[in-house]
Amino acid sequence: MSGTLYLVATPIGNLGDLSPRAVETLSSVDFIAAEDTRVSLRLLNHFQIKKPLVSYHEHNAASAGQAVLSRLLAGENCALVTDAGTPAISDPGELLVRLCGKNGVEVTSVPGCCAAVNALAVSGLPTGRFTFEGFLSVNKQSRREHLNSLKCETRTMIFHEAPHKLRPTLADFCQTFGPDRPAALCRELTKLHEEILRCTLGEAAEYYRDHDPRGEYVLVVAGVKPGENTTVSLEDGAAQVLALVETGIRLKDAAKEVADHTGLSKNDLYAAALERRK
């Protein structure tokens, strides 16, 4: 009988946020797969947990995932942890979960901290529907296509960003969404210097012209208001179509979806997307 993979959420800053169930799980498994064993060792030492650690991160996910799977199939139980937050959310842990699913290994979540959800909750922006966009690509074309695909997004959008990239990202946001779009910049959540800046994108860009960005950020940006007049070019529409195709939607269906919320011709979008893909 195979073992169980436990996805154990860890604190994003305040160690007091590790749940009693998480401590119990980490103490009872046979071994722990960690994004950075040095970071996880400090957490385990704080709670006086002594368990074997193995490394599992984006650069070794293929080989390390197979090694973890072999041990699970042999009957051992494993806890998967990231440096902070919930494993498998914008994290290579999703590959391990998929691998376990294909091989009949049980996967159980031990819930806890998630920076994106925490930021959304304190943002003051609509929370009923939202989309998590993670980190933007450093590749200029991919980054532009990603943002263009969100021009007509009505849901609240959530992004992660590093401090050294914050200023150019805010500039890109102002260009894509407009400087008057409401936003919340959530810095160092749950940590000593936690800061929530609720403002417009233009105000945020102006603020960080005079202040050095420090710490990790979660950026929460309001979606476009339903019915608001937003002009989308055919080029931008084609980019939105291709972004949907990358999620697994058929090109024809993606063109129809973008046409429905932009007013552009479905046939024109389909042709433009085909041309861009060439």
Side-chain angles (χ1 to χ4, degrees):
M1 182 176 178
S2 63
T4 300
L5 176 68
Y6 294 92
L7 308 179
V8 181
T10 55
I12 58 177
N14 191 319
L15 292 180
D17 291 334
L18 190 68
S19 72
R21 182 184 171 206
V23 173
E24 180 183 356
T25 301
L26 292 171
S27 301
S28 63
V29 294
D30 296 294
F31 68 105
I32 297 170
E35 178 181 5
D36 187 327
T37 55
R38 296 164 299 181
V39 172
S40 296
L41 185 59
R42 290 196 291 270
L43 176 70
L44 297 177
N45 285 341
H46 180 82
F47 289 95
Q48 299 181 330
I49 299 171
K50 297 187 182 300
K51 288 291 174 178
L53 285 166
V54 298
S55 177
Y56 178 88
H57 50 74
E58 62 176 328
H59 301 298
N60 73 350
S63 58
Q66 287 293 336
V68 170
L69 176 65
S70 295
R71 296 179 67 171
L72 288 165
L73 290 173
E76 293 186 75
N77 293 321
C78 172
L80 177 66
V81 297
T82 66
D83 291 348
T86 301
I89 302 300
S90 189
D91 172 80
E94 69 175 293
L95 302 175
L96 184 56
V97 172
R98 192 174 302 133
L99 187 63
C100 287
K102 289 180 178 178
N103 287 273
V105 173
E106 182 180 356
V107 180
T108 297
S109 177
V110 181
C113 297
C114 177
V117 173
N118 285 350
L120 177 66
V122 300
S123 69
L125 297 174
T127 62
R129 299 182 69 216
F130 62 91
T131 172
F132 175 63
E133 299 298 325
F135 284 98
L136 292 168
S137 173
V138 295
N139 178 278
K140 289 184 178 181
Q141 181 176 343
S142 297
R143 183 184 183 90
R144 183 168 60 250
E145 290 180 351
H146 186 170
L147 288 175
N148 284 340
S149 74
L150 296 171
K151 274 189 173 180
C152 293
E153 179 58 70
T154 57
R155 296 169 294 181
T156 300
M157 297 168 282
I158 307 172
F159 303 83
H160 284 321
E161 194 51 281
H164 64 283
K165 297 178 183 175
L166 182 67
R167 285 170 173 153
T169 292
L170 289 175
D172 288 344
F173 281 3
C174 286
Q175 182 177 0
T176 304
F177 306 124
D180 296 328
R181 185 73 66 90
L185 280 67
C186 305
R187 182 175 74 88
E188 295 289 87
L189 286 168
T190 78
K191 299 177 183 175
L192 180 62
H193 300 293
E194 176 179 295
E195 178 183 53
I196 313 297
L197 182 63
R198 301 177 185 88
C199 56
T200 65
L201 289 174
E203 290 168 342
E206 183 178 351
Y207 177 84
Y208 278 106
R209 277 195 287 269
D210 301 323
H211 298 79
D212 290 331
R214 295 179 179 177
E216 298 299 318
Y217 287 81
V218 182
L219 312 178
V220 188
V221 181
V224 67
K225 294 180 181 178
E228 186 174 314
N229 184 21
T230 303
T231 302
V232 178
S233 68
L234 183 59
E235 181 182 357
D236 290 344
Q240 293 184 33
V241 171
L242 292 177
L244 288 174
V245 169
E246 289 182 2
T247 68
I249 298 176
R250 292 190 310 165
L251 181 61
K252 181 180 178 180
D253 295 332
K256 182 180 184 304
E257 183 172 332
V258 174
D260 288 343
H261 72 251
T262 62
L264 294 169
S265 162
K266 178 182 69 175
N267 292 337
D268 289 347
L269 284 167
Y270 184 89
L274 275 180
E275 185 63 29
R276 284 178 67 97
R277 193 154 68 171
K278 291 178 183 177

